[in-house]
Amino acid sequence: MTRRTRILQAGRLLPSLEQRLAAAFDTVLLAEQPDPQAFLAEHGEGFDGLITSAGVGFTADMLERMPNLRAISSFGVGLDRLDLAAARDRGIAVGYTPDVLNDCVADLAIALLLDVARRVSEADRFVRRGDWVTPGAKSFPLARKVSGAKLGIVGLGRIGQTIARRAAGFDMDIRYHTRRPVDGVAWKHEPSLVELARWCDYLVVITAGGAATRHLIDAAVLDALGPHGFIVNVARGSVIDEAALVRALVEKRIAGAGLDVFDNEPEVPRELFALDNVVLLPHIASGTEETRRAMADRVFDNLQGFLRDGRMVSPAPLP
Ligand code: NAP
Ligand code: 8YV
């Protein structure tokens, strides 16, 4: 009898994906082990594949404990928690889930932008508190216009371009900042991030995470955005200097922020809770049934493709 492929599942996944994996392979959930480190040290050599996610990732240390590992399939597009150099050095194939989440992440970036600019969440709180019906209460403050405004996009990859296309539907004037100008797009490249922030009304951050973009948005960028400028972050918390962002918001040196991601999730700086001009989300940009299902399918197909003919549908770019 041939041995079934043995898969280590790093963290919990969609139930439907867990069921699909368990039906096809021998799967073990690492997060369920009383002592995951001890489990890896004792049983790591038995695994052929690893299923992880952009949030959980994997380390070189984990790979060392799995000497027979051949393939890793990750749920998500972010690579900042995946030690790709360690996988490359070991000749381990890595797959991820690009493109299938572009629409939903872009939709949520626009939702955050509209929310902070038009004070949607703030107005909802106003109504629920009963302020609208309170005689003599102050009327709800005016908001800021989105249609036709200036949008700066930091990062113009798969998701950044999808955001730009949606913003074009709002007749926004769009410019972007990346290290290299993108071929074949109509939007203007701005080589200086500070200049982009100075120019725009709304700055949307959608670069990759990791060391190369850590604190790319610093106090100087926030000051250039200024008291009338809003920031939206759907990339990674690490891309913004969070302490500088909190200071700028508390001191009203920028107009507001829409944040889906934070530096130390699920921790969110407490100072932000009191601010009405900030919208705080629990990292949900790809979180629709349709998109999470498509991501789950890609996770499965990457692994199955590798086991069948050595080819993942979406191989991660190795350094
Ligand atoms: P992508 O296609 O690889 O695009 C990344 C963009 O970032 C590129 O335009 C790249 O341009 C730019 N970039 C990288 N380093 C930069 C730097 N130092 N300065 C300026 N720009 C830089 O990736 P994607 O599929 O659009 O995804 C982007 C990121 O979104 C992911 O890596 C992930 O972290 C995040 N994300 C978040 C959620 C969520 O739930 N909130 C969901 C999905 C993805 P250059 O290389 O030319 O600089
Ligand atoms: C997911 C993400 O929430 O794809 C990414 O990089 O940040 C999100 O789509 C994440 O993959 C879940 O771990």
Side-chain angles (χ1 to χ4, degrees), residues 53-55 75-78 101 236 283 286 292 295:
S53 65
F75 184 92
V77 70
L101 39 60
R236 285 290 182 264
H283 199 146
S286 68
R292 289 284 168 86
M295 292 164 70

Side-chain angles (χ1 to χ4, degrees), residues 249-267:
L249 284 163
V250 169
E251 294 165 11
K252 298 189 173 21
R253 285 187 286 108
I254 63 170
L259 307 171
D260 183 47
V261 287
F262 301 88
D263 214 5
N264 184 29
E265 296 173 7
E267 297 301 325

Side-chain angles (χ1 to χ4, degrees), residues 76-80 96 98-99 101-102 105 108 154-161 177-182 206-209 212-213 216 233-236 260-261 283-287 292:
V77 70
L79 300 171
D80 45 307
Y96 71 146
D99 291 316
L101 39 60
N102 295 351
V105 180
L108 196 90
V154 189
L156 200 80
R158 291 168 292 241
I159 301 171
Q161 292 183 40
H177 170 78
T178 49
R179 291 168 297 183
R180 290 166 296 272
V182 178
I206 184 62
T207 62
T213 54
L216 190 64
N233 188 8
V234 284
R236 285 290 182 264
D260 183 47
V261 287
H283 199 146
I284 55 163
S286 68
R292 289 284 168 86

Side-chain angles (χ1 to χ4, degrees), residues 36-56:
Q37 290 307 324
F39 177 86
L40 265 183
E42 199 176 331
H43 304 285
E45 68 179 341
F47 293 100
D48 311 291
L50 171 70
I51 304 284
T52 188
S53 65
V56 172

Side-chain angles (χ1 to χ4, degrees), residues 99-277:
D99 291 316
V100 294
L101 39 60
N102 295 351
D103 282 341
C104 281
V105 180
D107 292 352
L108 196 90
I110 297 292
L112 275 173
L113 196 159
L114 286 166
D115 193 329
V116 282
R118 297 301 309 273
R119 301 178 181 263
V120 176
S121 294
E122 185 186 346
D124 177 84
R125 289 191 291 273
F126 180 86
V127 173
R128 286 171 198 259
R129 269 197 313 266
D131 289 3
W132 199 20
V133 290
T134 304
K138 273 202 239 162
S139 56
F140 191 72
L142 296 181
R144 291 279 301 285
K145 185 169 177 180
V146 171
S147 290
K150 293 178 192 155
L151 173 67
I153 304 180
V154 189
L156 200 80
R158 291 168 292 241
I159 301 171
Q161 292 183 40
T162 313
I163 293 170
R165 286 196 295 276
R166 280 157 181 56
F170 287 87
D171 300 322
M172 296 186 89
D173 186 0
I174 300 163
R175 296 184 186 177
Y176 70 95
H177 170 78
T178 49
R179 291 168 297 183
R180 290 166 296 272
V182 178
D183 286 339
V185 300
W187 309 296
K188 186 175 182 303
H189 180 251
E190 173 52 72
S192 158
L193 178 51
V194 167
E195 285 312 315
L196 183 72
R198 209 185 307 286
W199 169 81
C200 70
D201 303 301
Y202 301 96
L203 192 66
V204 173
V205 184
I206 184 62
T207 62
T213 54
R214 184 167 169 73
H215 292 188
L216 190 64
I217 310 290
D218 57 11
V221 175
L222 295 169
D223 283 337
L225 187 60
H228 299 288
F230 293 85
I231 193 160
V232 167
N233 188 8
V234 284
R236 285 290 182 264
S238 59
V239 184
I240 302 186
D241 178 342
E242 203 165 83
L245 175 65
V246 170
R247 274 197 305 277
L249 284 163
V250 169
E251 294 165 11
K252 298 189 173 21
R253 285 187 286 108
I254 63 170
L259 307 171
D260 183 47
V261 287
F262 301 88
D263 214 5
N264 184 29
E265 296 173 7
E267 297 301 325
V268 174
R270 290 269 145 178
E271 300 94 312
L272 299 182
F273 287 18
L275 304 182
D276 255 338
N277 56 342

